Amino acid sequence: MENTAIGTAIGKIILIGEHSVVYGQPAIAIPFTKTSVKTIISSGNGPVKLDCFYHKGSIFTAPKELLGLTTVIKEVINSFNEKLEDFNIKIESSIPPERGMGSSAAVAAATVRALFKFFNQELKKEELIKWTNISEKIVHGNPSGIDTALVVDERPLYFIKDKPLIPFIFRLKAYLIVADTGKPSKTQKAVANVRDFINTRPREGKEIINNLGLLTKEARSLIVKEGLEKLGQVMTKAHKLLDQLGISNRDLNNLVSTALDNQALGAKLTGGGQGGCMIALASTKDQAMGLANKLMESGAKNTWIYNMGVD
Ligand code: MEV
């Protein structure tokens, strides 16, 4: 057993394909290195204490928001034949929780990595996927696995549920502005709402899901061809379809309109939606910085600028 062990993981951004990915359509996601999680495990006395965004105290009194994480911690420790005592877990994160940036998967993955180091156990990639998915299933209900794949693989992915991961060369002379509405995105609820939509309006629901899949495929070939302007238009079309599915809201639509009114090439919500973050595409850094300012003026609580390839 080590005295201290650290595990890290990064956030993710879904460029296109959220929600339809749950129904077998492809999605494109990229690692978002501007945000990350660090889990520090150190020796202690007595029952394990947790120190993180949602809770500071015994792991046994953690709130329901942490059920995915505490379940995976308990199961990992069980698999080592160890007890939940004599160590403490501190989680530092710059990934805002419930914003569609993969916070829950990143927290689980960073913590599993730290636990394996602390107990001197070798961690294989497949095991990390398995453990992270245990948490994701509790947090999201019916996850496609895209968040886990991204935090484990840390490479841009063209992701199809239950298929081998397809890494994706992603180098565009472009910038992505990520803006946070400051409101939570409850992925589990949003995924359930989409399911209800499809159950009550099957023809319309399935058509939207298929069209989102077609847009994702188009986005993939546009990225390869560096067709920036068209890629922006494809993103905006995807946003409109997600809005029809009930996945956008007034805050997200407001930020998307602000971006489009200020020369963004395209804009859409990202991740679970109904809150959380949106993304906008810009071709130069100056344009990206201008857009970030406009989005803040328009109510965004935070923005990040992501260089999609080369300066
Ligand atoms: C959440 O990051 C992405 C969703 O498509 C859900 C999932 O794929 O599990 C909304």
Side-chain angles (χ1 to χ4, degrees):
M1 200 196 279
E2 300 290 327
N3 280 334
T4 306
I6 292 178
T8 57
I10 53 179
K12 68 105 209 317
I13 291 292
I14 296 184
L15 189 74
I16 189 161
E18 52 277 271
H19 287 288
S20 42
V21 69
V22 174
Y23 297 89
Q25 298 292 341
I28 297 173
I30 48 180
F32 194 54
T33 45
K34 297 215 169 230
T35 58
S36 60
V37 177
K38 180 156 119 184
T39 297
I40 306 141
I41 303 192
S42 46
S43 304
N45 286 316
V48 168
K49 286 194 271 308
L50 256 182
D51 179 353
C52 64
F53 179 81
Y54 288 108
H55 183 63
K56 200 171 165 142
S58 164
I59 191 166
F60 299 105
T61 58
K64 64 175 187 340
E65 285 83 356
L66 290 177
L67 188 62
L69 179 68
T70 53
T71 303
V72 83
I73 294 171
K74 286 174 192 165
E75 292 196 15
V76 167
I77 293 304
N78 229 354
S79 78
F80 296 160
N81 283 323
E82 296 283 350
K83 293 205 171 76
L84 277 170
E85 54 191 36
D86 298 338
F87 67 93
N88 296 320
I89 303 175
K90 187 171 191 320
I91 300 170
E92 295 169 354
S93 177
S94 60
I95 310 178
E98 302 187 326
R99 295 295 192 279
M101 290 167 109
S103 162
S104 58
V107 166
T111 305
V112 170
R113 283 177 171 137
L115 285 168
F116 272 72
K117 272 195 205 155
F118 190 75
F119 288 98
N120 285 319
Q121 303 280 333
E122 191 199 345
L123 177 62
K124 298 213 176 75
K125 202 168 164 177
E126 305 74 59
E127 279 178 292
L128 181 57
I129 292 175
K130 180 191 93 179
W131 292 118
T132 307
N133 271 337
I134 287 177
S135 169
E136 284 295 279
K137 284 210 172 96
I138 295 171
V139 179
H140 291 327
N142 176 29
S144 64
I146 191 167
D147 290 14
T148 298
L150 233 290
V151 298
V152 170
D153 216 60
E154 299 192 341
R155 279 182 297 176
L157 291 176
Y158 185 77
F159 179 90
I160 302 173
K161 188 178 174 181
D162 299 330
K163 292 271 158 62
L165 298 184
I166 309 172
F168 186 47
I169 305 292
F170 197 92
R171 275 172 76 77
L172 279 180
K173 280 192 190 138
Y175 293 81
L176 206 60
I177 303 94
V178 182
D180 183 359
T181 60
K183 307 266 173 62
S185 164
K186 305 271 185 201
T187 304
Q188 185 161 15
K189 181 173 167 287
V191 169
N193 289 162
V194 173
R195 195 174 48 235
D196 291 346
F197 188 108
I198 295 170
N199 285 341
T200 48
R201 293 149 79 178
R203 211 170 54 88
E204 198 184 336
K206 282 181 192 150
E207 195 181 325
I208 295 177
I209 296 293
N210 280 342
N211 286 339
L212 283 166
L214 291 175
L215 289 174
T216 303
K217 288 175 195 152
E218 198 179 340
R220 182 191 197 181
S221 63
L222 288 167
I223 291 168
V224 174
K225 285 192 280 197
E226 299 205 23
L228 261 195
E229 293 208 355
K230 285 213 170 118
L231 177 63
Q233 289 159 15
V234 162
M235 287 167 61
T236 307
K237 280 187 197 161
H239 179 78
K240 290 192 179 135
L241 292 178
L242 290 164
D243 194 14
Q244 277 176 39
L245 269 184
I247 289 312
S248 192
N249 67 4
R250 211 187 309 155
D251 297 314
L252 287 163
N253 286 346
N254 169 42
L255 293 182
V256 166
S257 301
T258 301
L260 296 175
D261 289 346
N262 288 279
Q263 277 93 49
L265 300 174
K268 64 182 279 296
L269 66 87
T270 181
Q274 299 181 334
C277 291
M278 54 76 70
I279 52 178
L281 187 68
S283 47
T284 68
K285 193 166 186 179
D286 281 351
Q287 203 182 36
M289 287 184 332
L291 272 167
N293 286 337
K294 292 283 181 200
L295 290 165
M296 289 299 280
E297 281 167 22
S298 213
K301 295 293 172 287
N302 203 354
T303 57
W304 299 261
I305 293 175
Y306 181 89
N307 180 347
M308 294 172 93
V310 277
D311 260 325

